[in-house]
C-alpha cells in the first residue's frame, strides 16, 4: 500500500490465479487552485511502485483499476487530446499513466463516461482482454462518479476452470442472467409482468428441482425482455481468441509504433 497527501495505490498478488490487482487514486486538478494539483513526482512514485511490484510476477494477469482524473486522455490510442487546456503537472501525470500502460502492455476497457455523462475518469486496465466479459457504467446516488462494473471470465484465469471450460465459455454465458445488465433494467415493467405471470406450471412441478428450473426460466425470460444486454465490443470478441503470448507481442508492436525512436 502506498499513500501520500495526493496519491494512493494498493497492490496485491493472488497466487492461486496468478493475478496482480492494483487500485489507484489520483485527485483531480483545480484551475482556480493550481497548488492543489497532484505534483507529478508524487504520481511518479505511485507509478514506479506499481511497476516494480507488477514486474515481480512475469506471467501474471494484471488488472489496474482506479480514479485517475485524466479526462483529456484518449485511452484508445493512447494519447493526450490536442486543443485541451491542460495544466503542465496534469500533462506530465498523463504521460506517466500512458507510460504505465505501455510498460505493462495494458489496454483500457472503460468506454463510457463515468462522471456527469462527460468524462471517462474511472478506468480498468488489463494485459489480457480475453479476461473481460463486459464492462458497464451505471449511475448511482452514492457518488458523483458512476459505478463501473467489470465482469471477468474466471475460465481465463490460471488455476480456475479447465481447458474444455475455456473453449466452451469464451462468449457463451452459462446463465441467461449473464447476458443482461440488471443495473439498467426496467424494474417496474419486470414486476408488472411477473405479477401477471402464470405460475401454475411451477407450483404443479413433480419435484423441487424441476420447480426451481421452471421458476428460474420464467424470471430470466421476463428480465431479459426488460433489460439491456451487456455490451461486449467487437474488439474483445476478436482478440479473446488470440493466445495470450501472441496478444502481448501485438500490444508491444502497437506501442512501439507510437513511441518516437
Amino acid at each position: 500500500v502506498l499513500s501520500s497527501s495526493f496519491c494512493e495505490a494498493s497492490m496485491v498478488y493472488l497466487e492461486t490465479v496468478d493475478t496482480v490487482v492494483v487500485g489507484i487514486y489520483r485527485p483531480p486538478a483545480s484551475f482556480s487552485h493550481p497548488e492543489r494539483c497532484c505534483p507529478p513526482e508524487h504520481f511518479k512514485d505511485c507509478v514506479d511502485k506499481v511497476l516494480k511490484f507488477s514486474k515481480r510476477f512475469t506471467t501474471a494477469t494484471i488488472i489496474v483499476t482506479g480514479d485517475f482524473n485524466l479526462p483529456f486522455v484518449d485511452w484508445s490510442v493512447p494519447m493526450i487530446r490536442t486543443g485541451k487546456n491542460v495544466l503542465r503537472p496534469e500533462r506530465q501525470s498523463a504521460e506517466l499513466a500512458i507510460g504505465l500502460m505501455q510498460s505493462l502492455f495494458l489496454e483500457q476497457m472503460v468506454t463510457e463516461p463515468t462522471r456527469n455523462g462527460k468524462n471517462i475518469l474511472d478506468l480498468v486496465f488489463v494485459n489480457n482482454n480475453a479476461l473481460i466479459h463486459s464492462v458497464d457504467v451505471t449511475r448511482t446516488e452514492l457518488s458523483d462518479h458512476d459505478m463501473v462494473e467489470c465482469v471477468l471470465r474466471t475460465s481465463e484465469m490460471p488455476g480456475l476452470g479447465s481447458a474444455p471450460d475455456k473453449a466452451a465459455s469464451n462468449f457463451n454465458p452459462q446463465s441467461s442472467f449473464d447476458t443482461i445488465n440488471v443495473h439498467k433494467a426496467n424494474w417496474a415493467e419486470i414486476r408488472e409482468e411477473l405479477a401477471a405471470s402464470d405460475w401454475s406450471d411451477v407450483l404443479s412441478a413433480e419435484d423441487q428441482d424441476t420447480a426451481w428450473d421452471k421458476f428460474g426460466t420464467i424470471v430470466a425470460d421476463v428480465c431479459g425482455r426488460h433489460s439491456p444486454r451487456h455490451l461486449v465490443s467487437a474488439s474483445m470478441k476478436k482478440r479473446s481468441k488470440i493466445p495470450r503470448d501472441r496478444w502481448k507481442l501485438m500490444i508491444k508492436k502497437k506501442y512501439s509504433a507510437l513511441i518516437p525512436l
Side-chain angles (χ1 to χ4, degrees):
V1 177
L2 171 70
S3 180
S4 71
S5 55
F6 290 96
C7 297
E8 295 180 355
S10 57
M11 296 151 271
V12 63
Y13 174 65
L14 307 176
E15 184 176 5
T16 55
V17 290
D18 191 25
T19 298
V20 171
V21 181
V22 178
I24 293 175
Y25 172 72
R26 179 189 165 279
S30 174
F31 282 93
S32 57
H33 298 282
E35 71 280 1
R36 297 181 186 175
C37 291
C38 175
E41 56 270 22
H42 282 257
F43 189 54
K44 182 179 186 303
D45 189 34
C46 178
V47 168
D48 288 346
K49 291 291 195 306
V50 171
L51 284 171
K52 183 178 180 180
F53 181 83
S54 300
K55 288 184 176 181
R56 289 166 50 193
F57 311 102
T58 55
T59 64
T61 295
I62 300 174
I63 305 172
V64 180
T65 68
D67 178 5
F68 284 73
N69 282 300
L70 295 170
F72 48 86
V73 176
D74 181 351
W75 295 105
S76 64
V77 179
M79 64 180 294
I80 299 172
R81 295 190 183 95
T82 59
K84 295 290 183 180
N85 185 17
V86 181
L87 295 170
R88 180 177 175 82
E90 295 295 287
R91 181 177 294 273
Q92 292 173 325
S93 291
E95 291 170 351
L96 288 167
I98 292 172
L100 176 66
M101 283 185 68
Q102 295 171 344
S103 296
L104 298 178
F105 309 119
L106 304 175
E107 183 176 6
Q108 204 288 116
M109 309 305 296
V110 181
T111 58
E112 298 179 63
T114 63
R115 186 175 186 273
N116 296 333
K118 297 179 181 179
N119 300 314
I120 301 177
L121 304 181
D122 306 275
L123 310 174
V124 176
F125 298 94
V126 292
N127 67 340
N128 172 22
N129 78 352
L131 179 69
I132 305 298
H133 171 271
S134 57
V135 178
D136 290 297
V137 178
T138 307
R139 295 295 300 272
T140 174
E141 295 181 358
L142 300 178
S143 171
D144 60 337
H145 286 245
D146 298 336
M147 180 174 64
V148 179
E149 179 185 27
C150 184
V151 179
L152 305 181
R153 288 192 186 83
T154 55
S155 60
E156 292 291 334
M157 304 178 75
L160 294 179
S162 60
D165 291 337
K166 290 183 181 182
S169 64
N170 227 7
F171 275 91
N172 299 312
Q174 297 179 359
S175 165
S176 300
F177 285 105
D178 291 342
T179 67
I180 63 177
N181 182 0
V182 295
H183 294 298
K184 297 181 180 179
N186 188 325
W187 289 105
E189 292 183 359
I190 291 174
R191 283 192 290 268
E192 183 179 351
E193 185 169 345
L194 287 176
S197 297
D198 181 5
W199 299 98
S200 57
D201 195 32
V202 175
L203 297 174
S204 61
E206 57 271 22
D207 57 62
Q208 184 177 5
D209 290 339
T210 302
W212 178 253
D213 289 341
K214 291 182 177 181
F215 172 79
T217 299
I218 292 174
V219 173
D221 289 344
V222 171
C223 289
R225 283 192 287 273
H226 303 287
S227 306
R229 300 287 173 175
H230 282 300
L231 297 177
V232 181
S233 71
S235 62
M236 286 189 205
K237 293 179 181 178
K238 179 180 179 181
R239 292 170 184 169
S240 65
K241 300 177 183 178
I242 301 174
R244 180 178 171 187
D245 55 347
R246 191 179 305 169
W247 170 239
K248 280 190 172 184
L249 289 174
M250 291 171 62
I251 291 293
K252 186 175 183 179
K253 183 177 179 181
K254 171 185 173 183
Y255 284 141
S256 297
L258 294 173
I259 302 172
L261 299 177

